Amino acid sequence: MNTQPIGIFDSGIGGTSIWKEIHNLLPNEDTIYLADSANAPYGPKGRENILALSIKNTEYLLKKGCKLIVVACNTATTNAIDYLRHTYPVPFIGIEPAIKPAALQTKHHAVGILATKGTLSSALFSKTSGEFASHVNVIEQVGEGLVELIESGKVQSEDMRNLLKGYLKPMIDAHIDHLVLGCTHYPYLIPLLTELLPKHVKIIDSGEAVARQTKAILNQHGLINKATTNGKHHFFTNGNPDIMKSLLNSTSTVEFLDF
Ligand code: DGL
């Protein structure tokens, strides 16, 4: 079982930001990445839909023999991970907005969070936020339209800049000193966000923490691949493989798959 691949899925290509962290920390592991770009964005869909899509992705990865599944999508994690954990026999790693470290570190008692509607309206998010950030002014912003632009390859576009400017304004006005990225697509916006935010604002995402947790859970289950060679990686998308490839290094092959 320990030579089987790690499965990773997202509503699209954003979870490749998580794949990169996992690959850095666990270079000998094989991976299979599934980008459900044809159904992106998940954010505005209701919980039932998000759950059904998460089940479809999970069952595909299990058919491929994955030993552990990383739900590299905040929206799918906050809406579906409990169900997935109770239903399937492999360990699941999820990703949630890093509201806890931001609330612990803020000096101005003001943090911004940019995430999808599906994440911000989930029960899991309100629980985490209530538990760790009730003493802090949390400025929530739905990143409407951001995933769509990233999925169509427009990370550095004027449209993107204009949307972000509007979303950041209330946060800057509230003097945030931390911005939490609550969507795995958003790390690709860090260069633009850094340009638009005051210098002292720290941007936090959960990618590295997910990779560390993946390693810990593999260890705990005796599932670490002991190979000393570099892992093999398969990237599948039901969207545009070229756009996905542009986020990865040039040697990665991305296949179109109608799943
Ligand atoms: N990458 C997904 C997330 O982390 C994007 C969700 C969407 O498709 O709206 O939430």
Side-chain angles (χ1 to χ4, degrees):
M1 190 68 177
N2 56 3
T3 56
Q4 295 297 103
I6 295 174
I8 303 171
F9 78 81
D10 179 34
S11 63
I13 57 183
T16 52
S17 64
I18 306 301
W19 175 83
K20 286 175 189 173
E21 300 287 356
I22 292 172
H23 178 53
N24 275 343
L25 194 65
L26 298 160
N28 306 324
E29 295 289 340
D30 294 347
T31 64
I32 299 180
Y33 183 101
L34 205 55
D36 192 16
S37 296
N39 291 302
Y42 280 11
K45 295 180 167 49
R47 185 176 179 274
E48 288 310 307
N49 258 328
I50 297 168
L51 184 59
L53 292 166
S54 302
I55 290 171
K56 175 196 69 147
N57 299 333
T58 296
E59 293 190 349
Y60 182 85
L61 291 170
L62 289 177
K63 243 188 265 154
K64 289 279 187 187
C66 292
K67 61 183 175 184
L68 171 149
I69 293 180
V70 179
V71 182
C73 175
N74 291 259
T75 313
T77 299
T78 48
N79 286 277
I81 201 150
D82 283 350
Y83 177 89
L84 300 176
R85 284 190 173 130
H86 283 113
T87 309
Y88 300 102
V90 297
F92 283 85
I93 309 293
I95 180 162
E96 280 184 72
I99 194 86
K100 182 181 171 186
L104 288 174
Q105 289 165 28
T106 177
K107 294 209 165 61
H108 298 163
H109 294 282
V111 305
I113 166 149
L114 196 56
T116 70
K117 182 165 173 247
T119 294
L120 292 175
S121 62
S122 68
L124 191 54
F125 178 74
S126 21
K127 184 171 169 275
T128 315
S129 185
E131 214 168 301
F132 300 107
S134 54
H135 62 294
V136 167
N137 181 15
V138 180
I139 294 102
E140 296 180 12
Q141 176 64 56
V142 174
E144 214 176 310
L146 300 179
V147 166
E148 288 91 324
L149 284 174
I150 296 167
E151 287 289 324
S152 52
K154 295 181 182 147
V155 173
Q156 287 288 347
S157 60
E158 250 338 90
D159 286 351
M160 181 67 85
R161 178 181 290 271
N162 289 335
L163 270 183
L164 287 179
K165 265 190 192 162
Y167 293 160
L168 296 178
K169 175 142 194 335
M171 302 187 187
I172 295 171
D173 290 348
H175 305 292
I176 62 158
D177 52 14
H178 287 75
L179 172 65
V180 177
L181 302 184
C183 170
T184 56
H185 282 68
Y186 300 168
Y188 289 110
L189 304 177
I190 289 175
L192 205 45
L193 288 167
T194 309
E195 224 182 275
L196 297 171
L197 283 166
K199 291 239 170 332
H200 68 275
V201 177
K202 189 169 171 208
I203 301 172
I204 304 194
D205 74 82
S206 321
E208 260 186 70
V210 169
R212 283 197 303 271
Q213 179 70 356
T214 303
K215 187 174 179 181
I217 297 296
L218 285 175
N219 265 323
Q220 195 180 310
H221 290 260
L223 287 173
I224 288 276
N225 191 336
K226 307 249 169 44
T228 48
T229 47
N230 281 338
K232 290 186 288 300
H233 308 289
H234 290 101
F235 296 94
F236 297 106
T237 175
N238 51 13
N240 182 332
D242 291 333
I243 296 178
M244 185 164 177
K245 209 167 148 50
S246 71
L247 297 184
L248 297 163
N249 65 46
S250 54
T251 55
S252 317
T253 50
V254 180
E255 280 174 55
F256 176 80
L257 183 78
D258 197 6
F259 60 96

